Amino acid sequence: MNVRKILPIVLLAACLIVTACGGGNQPSSGGGGGGSDSNGPSTQSTESGGGSSSGAGKKIVLGFSQVGAESGWRTANTESIKEAAAAAGIELKFSDAQQKQENQIKAIRSFIQQKVDVIAFSPVVESGWETVLREAKEAGIPVILTDRAIDSDDESLYVTFIGSDFVEEGRRAGRWLLEQFKDATEPVNIVELQGTTGSAPAIDRKAGFEEVIRENPNLRIIASQTGDFTRAKGKEVMQSFLQAHKDIDVLYAHNDDMGLGAIQAIEAAGLVPGKDIIIITVDAIRDGMQAAAEGKINFIVECNPLLGPQLMEAVIAVVEGREVPKRIVTEEGAFTSEEAKAALPYRKY
Ligand code: AHR
């Protein structure tokens, strides 16, 4: 065989193979994560110029499955993630699960098929993730949990969990209430609006609150129901609480949106929120802080949604093979009405 004759053909073939493989990170349109199915996760891909590389000049590709758009907190969280990815030059494949676990599982499988560099997600509920996370592990794709945790004992299924300490948030709410009613001699009737059933913040905020108020037997929860973290359900459930109980002293809502919905129900019932019924919420988004500044919410525990920059730092570290702490806890505070009034002009979300 004449080597000089076939060498150009071999080189051309090699060039074609390299070009084909170089386009490995296809935009997400296929697989389970596509946006055409109205009940399925809706997926978008965002790219920006320059940026972080996963080796050989290739951009880092991050698949992110978001819970949904149920609250003001979630909207701020989504914006933070999109902005931080663009700033870091990371290609983000973003999928909205519309509050459904099955959609998150579909999206994660789609990210695996697309061979993204890292998968991150905020699990809508705590349990039921092991199978799909094992698939990611077998595919060699690292997973980062943000905002919400999973209840698996197998910590090898994810690299790190970045987010708030929800139990501590519940304790903060409980400590403030304990102090307000430290001299109470009569029963104090509390109603609770829980977050999404089975989600980490609903489980933990309830547990932390109950752990603290247990110290004073006068503080008792007379009704507790989910409002799914939305304003509409918060209003609906509060209406039913008001119909069933004429003697509600305190409302503890696991987020601002449910608290804001409940305020509408309280006002419609001819009562004054913040006076006739003491209100405690969690999140400290702008609308919640505004209601607190007006005295309609008495105490807000902060839950910081701006997790984007920390997430992108972790993604880059993981791709570069650097050590990342197993748990990264977000720092946050709490606001009385007076403090909310002072802080409101400086809030970012
Ligand atoms: O997981 C964080 C919680 O989810 C926020 O407190 C709530 O508003 C959101 O929907």
Side-chain angles (χ1 to χ4, degrees):
M1 197 177 290
N2 185 337
V3 174
R4 253 185 297 165
K5 267 194 189 155
I6 64 157
L7 191 61
I9 300 167
V10 171
L11 284 175
L12 180 66
C15 275
L16 287 174
I17 290 166
V18 168
T19 311
C21 294
N25 296 313
Q26 307 294 328
S28 66
S29 56
S36 53
D37 172 2
S38 62
N39 287 318
S42 60
T43 307
Q44 303 161 352
S45 188
T46 336
E47 291 192 53
S48 63
S52 313
S53 147
S54 64
K58 219 171 72 116
K59 234 175 186 195
I60 296 177
V61 182
L62 168 67
F64 184 83
S65 169
Q66 179 61 289
V67 169
E70 73 284 3
S71 62
W73 188 99
R74 189 64 55 196
T75 305
N77 180 248
T78 293
E79 277 167 19
S80 169
I81 287 162
K82 288 184 175 174
E83 276 172 25
I90 290 174
E91 184 186 335
L92 177 68
K93 291 178 187 298
F94 182 91
S95 181
D96 176 345
Q98 297 162 21
Q99 294 250 68
K100 292 196 182 102
Q101 182 175 34
E102 71 213 61
N103 285 345
Q104 289 202 295
I105 292 174
K106 266 193 206 172
I108 293 170
R109 290 207 166 113
S110 163
F111 295 147
I112 296 171
Q113 269 175 15
Q114 294 173 65
K115 298 185 171 44
V116 300
D117 296 305
V118 179
I119 293 172
F121 78 116
S122 176
V124 61
V125 290
E126 279 192 338
S127 49
W129 299 104
E130 268 144 351
T131 306
V132 74
L133 293 188
R134 252 181 239 128
E135 291 167 25
K137 191 177 168 184
E138 274 156 26
I141 301 176
V143 172
I144 297 177
L145 304 178
T146 75
D147 164 35
R148 298 185 182 179
I150 58 170
D151 65 4
S152 171
D153 290 334
D154 185 354
E155 290 198 345
S156 76
L157 295 177
Y158 59 92
V159 184
T160 181
F161 164 39
I162 304 169
S164 309
D165 181 341
F166 294 137
V167 178
E168 186 53 28
E169 290 173 353
R171 287 193 195 113
R172 283 197 179 126
R175 280 189 212 112
W176 181 82
L177 193 65
L178 203 61
E179 177 60 24
Q180 299 307 302
F181 288 95
K182 61 177 189 287
D183 300 324
T185 50
E186 302 277 303
V188 176
N189 294 331
I190 304 164
V191 295
E192 180 182 32
L193 279 169
Q194 293 182 41
T196 302
T197 306
S199 69
I203 295 167
D204 293 352
R205 286 174 188 164
K206 182 171 186 53
F209 183 75
E210 284 179 349
E211 176 195 309
V212 171
I213 65 162
R214 210 170 286 141
E215 262 183 55
N216 181 347
N218 279 320
L219 299 178
R220 47 181 215 181
I221 299 176
I222 56 165
S224 180
Q225 209 176 304
T226 181
D228 213 10
F229 281 130
T230 69
R231 234 174 254 212
K233 288 218 180 118
K235 181 177 177 183
E236 192 185 302
V237 177
M238 190 68 204
Q239 273 164 349
S240 68
F241 283 163
L242 287 164
Q243 274 159 14
H245 306 277
K246 297 289 157 229
D247 48 358
I248 299 170
D249 299 305
V250 176
L251 162 67
Y252 169 45
H254 289 189
N255 80 345
D256 287 347
D257 282 87
M258 291 189 294
L260 292 163
I263 286 172
Q264 292 172 17
I266 292 168
E267 286 174 336
L271 298 169
V272 182
K275 292 210 166 60
D276 292 328
I277 297 180
I278 300 292
I279 301 179
I280 306 170
T281 63
V282 184
D283 275 356
I285 55 162
R286 186 172 296 282
D287 288 359
M289 292 290 275
Q290 181 63 47
E294 289 166 12
K296 295 182 179 185
I297 293 178
N298 306 80
F299 191 64
I300 303 195
V301 178
E302 186 181 37
C303 179
N304 189 345
L306 307 180
L307 303 178
Q310 271 173 314
L311 171 60
M312 299 313 147
E313 267 175 42
V315 167
I316 295 168
V318 167
V319 170
E320 290 178 356
R322 283 184 277 123
E323 189 88 7
V324 178
K326 199 78 196 172
R327 177 76 171 101
I328 301 171
V329 185
T330 319
E331 281 192 22
E332 38 212 21
F335 303 87
T336 59
S337 294
E338 283 309 308
E339 289 162 347
K341 208 181 286 175
L344 193 55
Y346 312 103
R347 292 302 278 176
K348 290 201 191 95
Y349 52 91

